Amino acid sequence: MKIEQIYTGCLAQGAYYIESKGEVAIIDPLRETQQYVDKAKHENAKIKYIFETHFHADFVSGHIDLAKKTGATIVFGPSAETSYDTYVAKDNEMFKLGDITIKVLHTPGHTLESSTFLLIDENGKDHAIFSGDTLFLGDVGRPDLAIKSDLTKEDLAGMLYDSLRKKIMPLADDVIVYPAHGAGSACGKNLSKETVGVLGEQKKTNYALRANMTKDEFVKEVLDGIPPPPQYFAKNAMMNKSGYDSFETVLKRGNTPLEVDEFETIANQEGALVLDVRHEDDFVKEHIPNSIFIGIDGAFAPWVGALITDLKQPILLVTPKGREEETVTRLSRVGYDNTLGYLKGGFGSWKESGKDIDVLDSISPDDFVHKTNTNDLNILDVRKSGEHQSMYLNLKGVKNFPLDFINDNLHIIDKTKTYYIHCAGGYRSVIAASILKARGFYNLVNIEGGFDELKKTGIQMSDFVCPSTL
């Protein structure tokens, strides 16, 4: 028996490759599926099943493409409805894979069809659970994504309480837990940085698995502090239910080099968004006017999903050399399939052509401090509200303006005023500034290095409050 976790840090997502006696199951595959086909071929094995723990909202799964390539059966838990061929399993149904068995445990709560897959080894012993978004290390899945007219988040939280206590907690303490996500995912609020654990440890440390916890207590605690879901979640879930273009088609269309004039023409004719994914320092120094920055080396896919509201938005790319295909791939993971090409030669070719360029004004932390000594400034802290509440610049004119909700909050700032923008380390502030400039806010100054560097200057700060107490 072989179990391999294939973890993708940008999405904080774990897919799984399970093999026994030449038969393979893939659980929660990524959009780009050739990696699983190649691995099975290398192991002289055949992919038999594709198990989906639920309809994912934070990424587009590769189950449809993988089934077409391999003939494998897509398996969802009870109540799942799709527009393509799937096998909808019954609760407690068994699937043989070589010498091992995978048992479906229907665990609704995160979503209605959510299921945990219990792996039973060749000796009949419960070995591991692939818990999807039902159980994380340190947390459980948010129960507010499958709300319907007759179903509230409180109803779903109650279902999750029952699922955990009836299906998960009775399992032995030595059962291994393989969750779908780790720290950084928006599918939970308190996820561990670890990506594999054991159930006994979770029973001791995970707040949601307290032995004496009542259902009312669980519902209250699991819903407390959950931020609104990113806007792309519902759209990705629908793609996973209804289907999508093949990844190869998306990649071929997007991984197309465009000369400068062609790039500019397509941008104008198609109303394409120019997405610059270089390092933030490069963008600050020079960029194409009205382009948006979201750096490929940050939490790229989740920020794209949170900030670009239309999945069908035509996109043109400005990338570091050699990272064009990677960028198209990572966009497709969250459902942005309408990339039309990239700037051949990168930003250098645009500059060499003599086209207009723009810059983002920036200021060092020390120079910013000097300005605050003699001026009242308008300051936008684009960190999350919890980060801001934990510690912030204790100055007149500071406004928490979280990047997550920038599209909803443009009305609260004034185009005639100058704003100094900071985040924690300098990545999000440049994203925010690029969006604001594209929307007609031109009097912007980025504070280099963000809050981390500002703290070193001795500037007046609020008292620190532990985020866990907020």
Side-chain angles (χ1 to χ4, degrees), residues 161-221:
Y161 174 88
D162 291 335
S163 293
L164 292 166
R165 277 150 182 79
K166 293 177 181 178
K167 299 293 183 69
I168 304 296
M169 292 177 69
L171 298 172
D173 286 355
D174 63 353
V175 168
I176 301 169
V177 179
Y178 291 108
H181 293 291
S185 170
C187 294
K189 59 184 178 181
N190 191 41
L191 282 69
S192 168
K193 293 180 180 179
E194 301 300 321
T195 62
V196 180
V198 293
L199 187 56
E201 183 64 21
Q202 289 306 299
K203 291 176 184 177
K204 293 178 183 177
T205 61
N206 191 321
Y207 75 96
L209 302 188
R210 290 201 309 270
N212 60 350
M213 191 181 215
T214 67
K215 182 180 286 191
D216 286 344
E217 289 172 337
F218 176 90
V219 170
K220 182 178 183 300
E221 291 187 40

Side-chain angles (χ1 to χ4, degrees), residues 114 118 126 134 261-262 284 287 339 378 401 406 434 446 452 458:
S114 283
L118 172 64
D126 294 345
T134 295
D261 287 342
E262 185 181 11
V284 166
H287 55 266
T339 302
N378 299 301
F401 191 72
I406 191 170
S434 73
N446 180 59
D452 293 343

Side-chain angles (χ1 to χ4, degrees), residues 424-461:
Y427 176 77
R428 286 175 287 176
S429 61
V430 178
I431 297 175
S434 73
I435 293 172
L436 291 173
K437 286 194 75 170
R439 303 289 179 84
F441 294 82
Y442 299 117
N443 303 313
L444 307 169
V445 183
N446 180 59
I447 303 175
E448 299 167 1
F451 197 71
D452 293 343
E453 293 300 316
L454 286 168
K455 285 191 289 188
K456 299 175 184 178
T457 67
I459 194 171
Q460 188 173 352
M461 300 275 183

Side-chain angles (χ1 to χ4, degrees), residues 190-448:
N190 191 41
L191 282 69
S192 168
K193 293 180 180 179
E194 301 300 321
T195 62
V196 180
V198 293
L199 187 56
E201 183 64 21
Q202 289 306 299
K203 291 176 184 177
K204 293 178 183 177
T205 61
N206 191 321
Y207 75 96
L209 302 188
R210 290 201 309 270
N212 60 350
M213 191 181 215
T214 67
K215 182 180 286 191
D216 286 344
E217 289 172 337
F218 176 90
V219 170
K220 182 178 183 300
E221 291 187 40
V222 81
L223 293 176
D224 183 48
I226 296 180
Q231 62 86 27
Y232 72 104
F233 269 28
K235 300 168 187 176
N236 276 195
M238 185 55 64
M239 288 180 71
N240 284 320
K241 290 180 183 181
S242 302
Y244 43 74
D245 288 344
S246 74
F247 170 71
E248 284 73 17
T249 298
V250 172
L251 183 59
K252 182 178 180 181
R253 180 170 58 234
N255 194 27
T256 301
L258 301 171
E259 300 289 350
V260 171
D261 287 342
E262 185 181 11
F263 184 94
E264 186 176 41
T265 298
I266 292 175
N268 292 329
Q269 290 181 348
E270 300 294 332
L273 182 153
V274 177
L275 181 62
D276 191 326
V277 307
R278 297 173 299 153
H279 192 276
E280 57 264 30
D281 292 345
D282 295 324
F283 185 89
V284 166
K285 292 174 185 175
E286 50 189 6
H287 55 266
I288 296 173
N290 294 318
S291 58
I292 300 298
F293 165 79
I294 304 178
I296 193 71
D297 289 323
F300 175 69
W303 280 121
V304 167
L307 298 171
I308 301 176
T309 56
D310 183 5
L311 291 189
K312 299 182 184 300
Q313 169 68 52
I315 294 173
L316 291 169
L317 298 174
V318 180
T319 76
K321 185 178 180 180
R323 303 189 72 179
E324 300 86 2
E325 181 174 328
E326 175 192 355
T327 306
V328 177
T329 298
R330 290 172 67 176
L331 285 168
S332 75
R333 288 176 182 167
V334 284
Y336 293 83
D337 289 357
N338 201 15
T339 302
L340 304 181
Y342 64 88
L343 182 60
K344 184 179 180 180
F347 182 79
S349 65
W350 182 272
K351 187 175 181 181
E352 290 168 9
S353 74
K355 301 283 187 184
D356 289 344
I357 63 173
D358 204 350
V359 300
L360 175 60
D361 290 339
S362 63
I363 190 171
S364 72
D366 288 331
D367 287 344
F368 173 76
V369 172
H370 290 318
K371 276 190 171 293
T372 64
N373 291 333
T374 56
N375 301 278
D376 288 336
L377 305 178
N378 299 301
I379 303 162
L380 299 180
D381 178 350
V382 300
R383 297 176 300 161
K384 294 179 183 294
S385 59
E387 294 175 272
H388 176 82
Q389 292 170 32
S390 177
M391 180 181 277
Y392 52 87
L393 297 179
N394 195 11
L395 301 172
K396 182 180 179 181
V398 173
K399 184 188 297 291
N400 187 210
F401 191 72
L403 176 59
D404 312 50
F405 306 110
I406 191 170
N407 291 313
D408 300 324
N409 293 330
L410 294 175
H411 65 282
I412 67 176
I413 56 176
D414 186 342
K415 289 183 178 180
T416 67
K417 294 181 178 179
T418 297
Y419 291 96
Y420 292 80
I421 307 176
H422 80 82
C423 59
Y427 176 77
R428 286 175 287 176
S429 61
V430 178
I431 297 175
S434 73
I435 293 172
L436 291 173
K437 286 194 75 170
R439 303 289 179 84
F441 294 82
Y442 299 117
N443 303 313
L444 307 169
V445 183
N446 180 59
I447 303 175
E448 299 167 1

Side-chain angles (χ1 to χ4, degrees), residues 1 10 68 94 113 122 135-136 182 280 307 316 395 433 465:
M1 176 177 67
C10 181
K68 289 177 180 177
M94 306 281 199
E113 78 289 341
E122 59 271 22
L135 175 65
F136 300 128
E280 57 264 30
L307 298 171
L316 291 169
L395 301 172
V465 178

